[in-house]
Amino acid sequence: MDSRGWRWEAALRPFALSHTRTVSSVLGVDEDAMSSDDELNCGERELQDGQMRLEDKGLKDMLLSRFGGHIGTLKLEFSKKKKKGKLPKEGRKVLLEWWDVHYKWPYPTEADKVALAETTGLDPKQINNWFINQRKRHWKPSESMQFGNMDNAGEQFYARLDS
C-alpha cells in the first residue's frame, strides 16, 4: 500500500472508532460487556437497526463532505491499478519479429530496447517485462549453452558486447 493509502486509513480511523463508540452508546451497552448471549426483543432490534442506519448515514455524509473531492482521484488510481491485459497487437507483432530473428540469444541491447520502444510505442519497462516473460515461457537455451565450456561462453558474451 502506498503512502496515500496509509494517510487515508489514518484519517478515517478516528471516525470509525467514534462510530463504534456511538453505536455502543446508543445501544446502552458497554463495549467490553457485549456478548452473543444478550438477546433483544423484536421491537428493540428494529429501533436499534433504525438508529444504526441513521448513524451510518451520518457517518457517510460526514465522510463525503470531508473527503468527497478525493473520490474521483481514488477511482482513477484504482482503475489504473486494475488495468491489466495484453499489449497492443502491432506492438506484440514487432516484439515477436525481433524474438524470431534473435531466438538463440533473446537479450536485446539497450539500443535495441530503445528502438523497439520507439517502434511499438510501448514503455521501456513494458519492453523489458515482455522479454522477461517471453524468455521464461518460451525460450529453451540450447544444450551447448547450458553445458558448454565456460571460457567459450565468456568469449561469446564479450564478443557480443564489442559488436
Side-chain angles (χ1 to χ4, degrees):
M1 182 181 292
D2 65 0
S3 62
R4 289 176 288 202
W6 288 111
R7 283 194 307 231
W8 281 100
E9 184 179 327
L12 294 175
R13 187 175 294 124
F15 299 115
L17 291 173
S18 169
H19 180 65
T20 303
R21 287 187 194 110
T22 303
V23 169
S24 297
S25 66
V26 166
L27 295 175
V29 178
D30 180 20
E31 290 175 279
D32 298 328
M34 292 177 84
S35 75
S36 60
D37 295 335
D38 297 332
E39 289 293 327
L40 300 173
N41 68 34
C42 198
E44 288 175 335
R45 190 168 293 173
E46 287 177 13
L47 177 64
Q48 289 172 358
D49 287 345
Q51 289 172 336
M52 285 197 298
R53 273 190 237 115
L54 284 175
E55 289 289 325
D56 289 344
K57 185 178 180 347
L59 177 63
K60 180 182 175 184
D61 292 343
M62 189 260 309
L63 289 172
L64 279 173
S65 68
R66 180 139 185 207
F67 300 108
H70 302 286
I71 290 175
T73 307
L74 286 172
K75 283 182 182 177
L76 181 63
E77 219 174 285
F78 286 126
S79 67
K80 284 181 185 176
K81 290 180 184 176
K82 287 182 183 177
K83 186 179 180 184
K84 187 178 177 181
K86 296 180 179 180
L87 297 176
K89 189 174 184 177
E90 290 302 315
R92 285 195 323 264
K93 183 179 176 186
V94 170
L95 294 173
L96 281 170
E97 288 170 0
W98 192 98
W99 174 266
D100 290 338
V101 172
H102 300 89
Y103 183 80
K104 287 187 178 184
W105 188 253
Y107 289 88
T109 63
E110 291 304 313
D112 289 337
K113 292 176 190 177
V114 168
L116 287 167
E118 289 174 2
T119 305
T120 60
L122 300 172
D123 294 333
K125 186 173 182 173
Q126 289 175 298
I127 301 288
N128 279 333
N129 288 339
W130 187 88
F131 277 102
I132 290 167
N133 290 332
Q134 189 73 0
R135 285 190 296 265
K136 283 181 181 178
R137 295 172 186 161
H138 304 288
W139 186 54
K140 302 268 190 277
S142 67
E143 285 187 28
S144 63
M145 289 181 75
Q146 291 176 352
F147 303 111
N149 183 351
M150 290 308 289
D151 292 334
N152 187 23
E155 289 171 15
Q156 289 176 354
F157 174 75
Y158 289 114
R160 290 184 190 278
L161 290 178
D162 293 335
S163 59

